[in-house]
Amino acid sequence: METILFYNAVDRINDNRKALKALFDYLGTIDSCISIASFRSGEKQFCRPEFVSAPENKVRISEVRHPLVNNCVENDIELRNKSLIVTGSNMAGKTTFIKTIGINAILSQYH
């Protein structure tokens, strides 16, 4: 009996594969939005980005900080129609800086 029930469940999952994938995607979106809202409710220092239509590619971020690093150093960055190479010695904060930009770019879009 257990074998029949197992294969019946497998068949039902296969028959509803598209609907289940859509449900998982939807739940993932809701979960990420809840996580960001929860983070922001406890975070006192965040801002809303200003997205502007401009003829040039430009990124300007002032006093950006990593949201998970306590007492971190705030940084500024401005790029206009160019890219950036981050160099420095080991353990100087290159990866943390790049992650800071990425995390803030993602979190800033949920407003």
Side-chain angles (χ1 to χ4, degrees), residues 21-50:
K21 175 148 178 18
L23 177 65
F24 282 122
D25 290 343
Y26 183 71
L27 290 174
T29 300
I30 290 173
D31 187 45
S32 64
C33 289
I34 289 171
S35 295
I36 290 169
S38 175
F39 174 77
R40 281 197 171 171
S41 71
E43 183 65 26
K44 304 300 181 215
Q45 295 179 333
F46 72 90
C47 66
R48 301 227 189 292
E50 179 183 341

Side-chain angles (χ1 to χ4, degrees), residues 54 72 104:
C72 66
N104 281 279

Side-chain angles (χ1 to χ4, degrees), residues 4 24 50 56 76-77 86 90 92:
I4 293 171
F24 282 122
E50 179 183 341
E56 62 182 322
D76 299 337
I77 184 170
V86 180
N90 290 342

